[in-house]
Amino acid sequence: EDPSHWIELNTEDKWKVKADGNDLVYGSSEAATGDSHTWLHVFEQDVDYSAKLRVTEKGTFPIMGLTARVNADESYIKGGYDFTLKKWFIKVRLGGDFEEEVTYASAISEVNVNEWYDVRLKVVDKDIELYVGSSATPVVTADAGKKVMTGRVGVFTEQCNVDVNDVNLQLLSGQGRVNDGVLEYYTAPMGITSTLFQILDLPDGRLLMYQDGTQYISTDDDVTFTATS
């Protein structure tokens, strides 16, 4: 996988490309005791999104899977596996003022550590389907309800580390494209909104950001920013 297509919070560095025999995989390495999310910089409503997933380490209550239509921490569609319940699921949440709606597969299934699983999340209008393996029948389906909007696609983990390979993404709405080399930087605490934000690319290579009257400057290729006023 090309790591430059993938994003995570600038305060985290849990996802890296690493060698796997003669292959390269993209995986989390510090998420076994917490949560993590990595995503592609693309906004699309309807997607057909698949990847090979392999859990390499489990915590107490591990959960992992794919995401779509992600707009915020509390606004998403998730298709994944709950190791405690031993069931695949689809989760839909419209936002912070809404409860998460969960649909579980009817049957129990086993997912083993260090084994690859083909997972496919298809989201078209209000129809959500999660496929596992080579089956043409979804293991679980759900209704998106009012969660019909553009958003990002990605991979999430809760209390487990996961490797990702063979990602295939079809943008069915024709709204976006996967962009490269984008850094997302949060100067305010998550959940705090900004009334004014500007960014300037200086001729000497430095980057200036202004947020609500505060100036931030970067001198290390936009990796970190320091408040100067």
Side-chain angles (χ1 to χ4, degrees):
E1 312 304 332
D2 186 344
S4 62
H5 295 316
W6 294 88
I7 307 170
E8 60 181 316
L9 291 178
N10 69 287
T11 55
E12 298 181 353
D13 190 24
K14 296 179 179 179
W15 291 82
K16 298 179 176 66
V17 171
K18 55 187 179 181
D20 183 47
N22 295 324
D23 201 1
L24 293 175
V25 299
Y26 182 61
S28 59
S29 58
E30 302 174 20
T33 58
D35 302 344
S36 71
H37 183 215
T38 182
W39 57 92
L40 293 167
H41 189 69
V42 61
F43 291 88
E44 189 84 357
Q45 175 180 298
D46 297 343
V47 297
D48 192 345
Y49 171 42
S50 63
K52 289 183 178 295
L53 302 180
R54 177 179 64 184
V55 175
T56 59
E57 184 180 5
K58 292 193 303 181
T60 307
F61 301 106
I63 300 173
M64 62 84 187
L66 305 178
T67 59
R69 295 183 184 172
V70 178
N71 309 106
D73 288 346
E74 304 88 7
S75 180
Y76 52 76
I77 291 174
K78 295 180 177 179
Y81 183 79
D82 187 320
F83 282 87
T84 303
L85 299 178
K86 296 184 177 181
K87 286 188 174 184
W88 294 93
F89 63 79
I90 291 173
K91 298 182 178 182
V92 180
R93 191 173 183 188
L94 190 59
D97 296 329
F98 299 84
E99 294 295 325
E100 182 182 70
E101 298 181 4
V102 187
T103 304
Y104 290 101
S106 57
I108 290 176
S109 57
E110 294 287 345
V111 170
N112 300 315
V113 174
N114 293 322
E115 289 188 17
W116 288 104
Y117 292 86
D118 293 305
V119 182
R120 176 187 171 203
L121 180 62
K122 186 176 182 180
V123 183
V124 178
D125 194 38
K126 293 186 177 183
D127 297 324
I128 310 171
E129 299 173 338
L130 184 68
Y131 298 82
V132 180
S134 58
S135 174
T137 302
V139 67
V140 59
T141 62
D143 190 317
K146 294 183 179 180
K147 184 61 176 171
V148 182
M149 58 189 69
T150 61
R152 295 183 169 111
V153 299
V155 180
F156 78 96
T157 69
E158 297 179 19
Q159 299 190 29
C160 62
N161 285 319
V162 173
D163 288 341
V164 185
N165 206 355
D166 294 345
V167 176
N168 185 281
L169 173 61
Q170 297 181 52
L171 305 176
L172 303 179
S173 301
Q175 296 164 311
R177 64 178 183 181
V178 178
N179 291 297
D180 190 10
V182 176
L183 172 69
E184 294 196 354
Y185 200 91
Y186 294 88
T187 57
M190 295 296 290
I192 302 299
T193 59
S194 174
T195 57
L196 174 64
F197 186 85
Q198 293 178 307
I199 189 166
L200 298 174
D201 189 1
L202 301 180
D204 61 5
R206 295 181 300 166
L207 201 67
L208 281 180
M209 293 196 303
Y210 293 91
Q211 179 187 28
D212 294 342
T214 301
Q215 174 180 284
Y216 300 84
I217 191 166
S218 173
T219 58
D220 56 1
D221 294 327
D222 316 334
V223 175
T224 60
F225 287 81
T226 303
T228 60
S229 65

